[in-house]
Coordinates of all heavy atoms in Angstrom, one line a residue:
S139 N -21.8 -7.6 13.7 CA -22.3 -8.7 12.9 C -23.8 -8.7 12.8 O -24.5 -8.1 13.7 CB -21.8 -10.0 13.5 OG -22.5 -10.2 14.7
P140 N -24.4 -9.3 11.7 CA -25.8 -9.3 11.6 C -26.5 -10.0 12.8 O -27.6 -9.6 13.2 CB -26.0 -10.1 10.3 CG -24.8 -9.9 9.5 CD -23.7 -9.8 10.6
S141 N -25.9 -11.0 13.4 CA -26.5 -11.7 14.6 C -26.6 -10.7 15.8 O -27.6 -10.7 16.5 CB -25.7 -12.9 14.9 OG -24.4 -12.6 15.4
I142 N -25.5 -9.9 16.0 CA -25.6 -8.9 17.1 C -26.7 -7.9 16.8 O -27.4 -7.5 17.7 CB -24.2 -8.3 17.3 CG1 -23.2 -9.3 17.7 CG2 -24.3 -7.1 18.3 CD1 -23.4 -9.8 19.1
Q143 N -26.8 -7.5 15.6 CA -27.8 -6.5 15.2 C -29.2 -7.1 15.5 O -30.0 -6.4 16.1 CB -27.7 -6.2 13.7 CG -28.8 -5.2 13.2 CD -28.8 -5.1 11.7 OE1 -28.4 -6.0 11.0 NE2 -29.2 -3.9 11.2
E144 N -29.4 -8.3 15.2 CA -30.7 -8.9 15.4 C -31.0 -9.0 16.9 O -32.2 -8.7 17.3 CB -30.8 -10.3 14.8 CG -32.2 -11.0 14.9 CD -32.2 -12.4 14.3 OE1 -31.2 -12.7 13.6 OE2 -33.2 -13.1 14.5
R145 N -30.1 -9.4 17.7 CA -30.3 -9.5 19.2 C -30.6 -8.1 19.8 O -31.4 -8.0 20.7 CB -29.1 -10.1 19.8 CG -28.9 -11.6 19.5 CD -27.6 -12.2 20.0 NE -27.6 -12.1 21.5 CZ -26.5 -12.3 22.2 NH1 -25.4 -12.6 21.6 NH2 -26.5 -12.2 23.5
V146 N -29.9 -7.1 19.3 CA -30.1 -5.7 19.8 C -31.5 -5.2 19.4 O -32.2 -4.6 20.2 CB -29.0 -4.7 19.3 CG1 -29.4 -3.3 19.7 CG2 -27.7 -5.1 19.9
M147 N -31.9 -5.5 18.2 CA -33.2 -5.1 17.8 C -34.3 -5.8 18.6 O -35.4 -5.1 18.9 CB -33.4 -5.4 16.3 CG -32.5 -4.6 15.4 SD -32.7 -5.0 13.6 CE -34.3 -4.4 13.3
R148 N -34.1 -7.0 19.0 CA -35.1 -7.7 19.8 C -35.3 -7.0 21.2 O -36.3 -7.2 21.9 CB -34.7 -9.2 20.0 CG -34.9 -10.0 18.8 CD -34.5 -11.4 19.0 NE -34.7 -12.3 17.9 CZ -34.2 -13.5 17.8 NH1 -33.6 -14.1 18.8 NH2 -34.5 -14.2 16.7
L149 N -34.3 -6.3 21.6 CA -34.4 -5.6 22.9 C -35.5 -4.5 22.9 O -36.1 -4.2 24.0 CB -33.1 -5.0 23.3 CG -31.9 -5.9 23.6 CD1 -30.6 -5.2 23.8 CD2 -32.2 -6.9 24.7
G150 N -35.8 -4.0 21.7 CA -36.8 -3.0 21.6 C -36.6 -1.7 22.4 O -37.6 -1.2 23.0
I151 N -35.4 -1.2 22.4 CA -35.1 0.0 23.2 C -35.4 1.2 22.3 O -34.8 1.4 21.3 CB -33.6 0.0 23.6 CG1 -33.3 -1.3 24.4 CG2 -33.4 1.2 24.5 CD1 -31.9 -1.4 24.7
P152 N -36.3 2.1 22.7 CA -36.5 3.3 22.0 C -35.3 4.2 21.9 O -34.5 4.3 22.9 CB -37.7 4.1 22.8 CG -38.3 3.0 23.6 CD -37.2 2.0 23.9
G153 N -35.0 4.8 20.8 CA -33.8 5.7 20.6 C -32.6 5.0 20.3 O -31.5 5.6 20.2
I154 N -32.7 3.7 20.0 CA -31.5 2.9 19.6 C -31.8 2.4 18.2 O -32.9 1.8 17.9 CB -31.3 1.7 20.5 CG1 -31.0 2.1 21.9 CG2 -30.2 0.8 20.0 CD1 -29.7 2.9 22.1
D155 N -30.8 2.5 17.3 CA -31.1 2.1 15.9 C -29.8 1.8 15.2 O -28.7 1.9 15.8 CB -31.8 3.2 15.1 CG -32.7 2.6 14.0 OD1 -32.4 1.5 13.6 OD2 -33.5 3.3 13.5
F156 N -29.8 1.4 13.9 CA -28.7 1.0 13.2 C -28.6 1.8 11.9 O -29.6 2.2 11.3 CB -28.7 -0.5 12.8 CG -28.6 -1.4 14.0 CD1 -29.7 -1.8 14.7 CD2 -27.3 -1.8 14.4 CE1 -29.6 -2.6 15.8 CE2 -27.2 -2.7 15.5 CZ -28.3 -3.0 16.2
I157 N -27.3 2.0 11.5 CA -27.0 2.6 10.1 C -26.2 1.6 9.4 O -25.3 1.0 10.0 CB -26.2 3.9 10.2 CG1 -27.2 5.1 10.6 CG2 -25.5 4.2 8.9 CD1 -26.5 6.4 10.6
T158 N -26.6 1.3 8.1 CA -25.8 0.4 7.3 C -24.6 1.2 6.7 O -24.8 2.1 5.9 CB -26.6 -0.3 6.2 OG1 -27.7 -0.9 6.9 CG2 -25.8 -1.2 5.4
E159 N -23.4 0.8 7.1 CA -22.2 1.5 6.5 C -21.5 0.6 5.5 O -21.8 -0.6 5.4 CB -21.2 1.7 7.7 CG -21.7 2.7 8.7 CD -20.5 3.1 9.6 OE1 -20.3 2.4 10.6 OE2 -19.9 4.1 9.3
S160 N -20.6 1.3 4.8 CA -19.7 0.5 3.8 C -18.4 0.3 4.5 O -17.8 1.2 5.1 CB -19.5 1.4 2.6 OG -20.7 1.5 1.8
K161 N -18.0 -1.0 4.4 CA -16.7 -1.3 5.0 C -15.8 -1.9 3.9 O -16.3 -2.7 3.1 CB -16.8 -2.4 6.1 CG -15.5 -2.9 6.7 CD -15.8 -3.9 7.8 CE -14.5 -4.7 8.2 NZ -13.5 -3.7 8.8
R162 N -14.6 -1.5 3.8 CA -13.7 -1.9 2.8 C -13.2 -3.4 3.1 O -12.8 -3.6 4.3 CB -12.5 -1.0 2.7 CG -11.8 -0.9 1.3 CD -12.8 -0.5 0.3 NE -12.1 0.1 -0.9 CZ -12.7 0.2 -2.1 NH1 -14.0 -0.2 -2.2 NH2 -12.1 0.7 -3.1
F163 N -13.2 -4.2 2.1 CA -12.7 -5.6 2.3 C -11.7 -5.9 1.2 O -11.9 -5.6 0.0 CB -13.8 -6.6 2.2 CG -13.4 -8.0 2.3 CD1 -12.8 -8.5 3.5 CD2 -13.5 -8.9 1.3 CE1 -12.3 -9.8 3.6 CE2 -13.1 -10.2 1.4 CZ -12.5 -10.7 2.5
Y164 N -10.5 -6.5 1.6 CA -9.5 -6.8 0.6 C -9.3 -8.3 0.6 O -8.7 -8.9 1.5 CB -8.2 -6.1 1.1 CG -8.3 -4.6 1.3 CD1 -8.7 -4.1 2.5 CD2 -8.1 -3.7 0.2 CE1 -8.8 -2.7 2.7 CE2 -8.2 -2.4 0.4 CZ -8.6 -1.9 1.6 OH -8.8 -0.5 1.8
P165 N -9.8 -8.9 -0.4 CA -9.8 -10.4 -0.5 C -8.4 -11.0 -0.6 O -8.2 -12.1 -0.2 CB -10.7 -10.7 -1.7 CG -10.7 -9.4 -2.5 CD -10.6 -8.3 -1.6
G166 N -7.5 -10.2 -1.1 CA -6.1 -10.8 -1.2 C -5.3 -10.7 0.1 O -4.1 -11.1 0.1
M167 N -5.9 -10.1 1.2 CA -5.3 -10.0 2.5 C -4.0 -9.2 2.3 O -4.0 -8.1 1.9 CB -5.1 -11.4 3.1 CG -6.3 -12.2 3.2 SD -7.7 -11.5 4.1 CE -7.1 -11.9 5.8
T168 N -2.8 -9.8 2.7 CA -1.6 -9.0 2.7 C -0.9 -8.9 1.3 O 0.0 -8.1 1.2 CB -0.6 -9.7 3.7 OG1 -0.3 -11.0 3.2 CG2 -1.2 -9.8 5.1
E169 N -1.4 -9.6 0.3 CA -0.6 -9.8 -0.9 C -0.3 -8.4 -1.6 O 0.8 -8.3 -2.2 CB -1.3 -10.7 -1.9 CG -1.1 -12.1 -1.6 CD -1.5 -13.1 -2.7 OE1 -2.1 -12.6 -3.6 OE2 -1.2 -14.3 -2.6
A170 N -1.2 -7.5 -1.5 CA -0.9 -6.2 -2.2 C -1.1 -5.1 -1.3 O -1.6 -4.0 -1.7 CB -1.9 -6.1 -3.4
S171 N -0.8 -5.3 0.0 CA -1.1 -4.3 1.0 C -0.4 -2.9 0.7 O -1.1 -1.9 0.9 CB -0.7 -4.8 2.4 OG 0.7 -5.1 2.4
H172 N 0.8 -2.9 0.3 CA 1.5 -1.6 0.1 C 1.0 -0.9 -1.1 O 1.3 0.3 -1.3 CB 3.0 -1.9 0.1 CG 3.6 -2.1 1.4 ND1 3.5 -1.3 2.4 CD2 4.3 -3.2 1.9 CE1 4.1 -1.8 3.5 NE2 4.6 -3.0 3.2
I173 N 0.4 -1.6 -2.0 CA -0.2 -1.0 -3.2 C -1.6 -0.4 -2.8 O -1.8 0.8 -3.1 CB -0.4 -2.0 -4.3 CG1 0.9 -2.6 -4.8 CG2 -1.2 -1.4 -5.5 CD1 0.8 -3.8 -5.7
L174 N -2.4 -1.2 -2.2 CA -3.7 -0.7 -1.9 C -3.8 0.3 -0.7 O -4.6 1.2 -0.7 CB -4.6 -2.0 -1.5 CG -4.8 -2.9 -2.7 CD1 -5.4 -4.2 -2.2 CD2 -5.7 -2.3 -3.8
G175 N -2.9 0.1 0.3 CA -3.0 0.9 1.5 C -4.2 0.4 2.3 O -4.4 -0.8 2.4
S176 N -5.0 1.3 2.8 CA -6.2 0.9 3.6 C -7.1 2.1 3.9 O -6.7 3.3 3.4 CB -5.7 0.4 5.0 OG -4.9 1.3 5.7
T177 N -8.2 1.9 4.5 CA -9.2 3.0 4.8 C -9.4 3.0 6.3 O -9.1 2.0 7.0 CB -10.5 2.7 4.1 OG1 -11.0 1.5 4.5 CG2 -10.3 2.8 2.6
N178 N -9.9 4.1 6.8 CA -10.2 4.1 8.3 C -11.6 3.7 8.5 O -12.3 3.2 7.5 CB -10.0 5.5 8.8 CG -10.9 6.6 8.1 OD1 -11.9 6.2 7.5 ND2 -10.6 7.8 8.3
I179 N -12.1 3.8 9.7 CA -13.5 3.2 10.0 C -14.6 4.0 9.3 O -15.7 3.5 9.2 CB -13.7 3.2 11.6 CG1 -14.8 2.3 11.9 CG2 -13.9 4.6 12.1 CD1 -14.9 1.9 13.4
D180 N -14.2 5.2 8.9 CA -15.2 6.0 8.1 C -15.1 5.8 6.6 O -15.6 6.5 5.8 CB -15.0 7.5 8.4 CG -15.4 7.8 9.8 OD1 -16.3 7.2 10.4 OD2 -14.8 8.7 10.4
N181 N -14.3 4.7 6.2 CA -14.2 4.3 4.8 C -13.5 5.4 4.0 O -13.7 5.5 2.8 CB -15.5 4.0 4.2 CG -15.4 2.8 3.2 OD1 -14.4 2.0 3.3 ND2 -16.3 2.7 2.3
Q182 N -12.6 6.1 4.6 CA -11.8 7.1 3.9 C -10.3 6.6 3.8 O -9.8 6.0 4.7 CB -11.8 8.4 4.7 CG -13.2 9.0 4.8 CD -13.3 10.1 5.8 OE1 -12.6 10.2 6.8 NE2 -14.2 11.1 5.6
G183 N -9.7 6.8 2.6 CA -8.4 6.3 2.4 C -7.4 7.0 3.3 O -7.3 8.2 3.4
I184 N -6.5 6.1 3.9 CA -5.5 6.7 4.8 C -4.1 6.3 4.3 O -3.1 6.8 4.9 CB -5.7 6.2 6.2 CG1 -5.7 4.7 6.3 CG2 -6.9 6.8 6.8 CD1 -5.8 4.2 7.7
A185 N -4.0 5.5 3.3 CA -2.7 5.0 2.8 C -2.8 4.4 1.4 O -3.9 4.0 1.0 CB -2.0 4.0 3.8
G186 N -1.7 4.3 0.7 CA -1.7 3.6 -0.6 C -2.6 4.3 -1.6 O -2.9 5.4 -1.6
I187 N -3.0 3.4 -2.6 CA -3.8 4.0 -3.7 C -5.2 4.4 -3.2 O -5.8 5.3 -3.8 CB -3.9 2.9 -4.8 CG1 -4.4 3.5 -6.1 CG2 -4.9 1.8 -4.4 CD1 -3.3 4.4 -6.8
E188 N -5.6 3.8 -2.1 CA -6.9 4.3 -1.5 C -6.8 5.8 -1.2 O -7.7 6.6 -1.4 CB -7.2 3.5 -0.2 CG -7.5 2.0 -0.5 CD -8.9 1.8 -0.9 OE1 -9.6 2.6 -1.5 OE2 -9.4 0.6 -0.6
R189 N -5.7 6.2 -0.5 CA -5.6 7.6 -0.2 C -5.4 8.4 -1.4 O -6.0 9.5 -1.5 CB -4.3 7.7 0.7 CG -4.1 9.2 1.2 CD -3.0 9.2 2.2 NE -2.6 10.6 2.5 CZ -1.5 11.0 3.2 NH1 -0.7 10.1 3.7 NH2 -1.3 12.3 3.4
H190 N -4.7 7.9 -2.4 CA -4.5 8.7 -3.6 C -5.8 8.9 -4.3 O -6.1 10.0 -4.9 CB -3.5 7.9 -4.6 CG -3.4 8.6 -5.9 ND1 -2.6 9.7 -6.1 CD2 -4.0 8.3 -7.1 CE1 -2.7 10.1 -7.4 NE2 -3.5 9.2 -8.0
M191 N -6.7 7.9 -4.4 CA -8.0 8.0 -5.0 C -8.8 9.1 -4.3 O -9.6 9.8 -5.0 CB -8.7 6.6 -4.9 CG -8.2 5.6 -5.9 SD -8.7 3.9 -5.5 CE -10.4 4.1 -5.3
D192 N -8.8 9.1 -3.0 CA -9.5 10.2 -2.3 C -9.0 11.6 -2.7 O -9.8 12.5 -2.8 CB -9.3 10.0 -0.8 CG -10.3 9.0 -0.2 OD1 -10.9 8.3 -1.0 OD2 -10.4 8.9 1.0
G193 N -7.8 11.7 -3.0 CA -7.2 13.0 -3.4 C -7.6 13.3 -4.8 O -7.5 14.5 -5.2

Side-chain angles (χ1 to χ4, degrees):
S139 67
S141 63
I142 295 292
Q143 179 188 27
E144 184 179 348
R145 291 175 61 191
V146 171
M147 291 177 70
R148 286 179 180 171
L149 297 175
I151 306 172
I154 300 292
D155 207 343
F156 292 88
I157 280 182
T158 301
E159 292 191 275
S160 294
K161 176 181 171 60
R162 210 57 160 163
F163 177 65
Y164 304 90
M167 307 299 279
T168 61
E169 278 194 352
S171 56
H172 285 300
I173 297 169
L174 295 167
S176 58
T177 59
N178 61 17
I179 198 167
D180 293 328
N181 216 20
Q182 297 166 331
I184 56 173
I187 198 69
E188 295 276 26
R189 182 176 171 188
H190 175 78
M191 286 163 50
D192 277 11

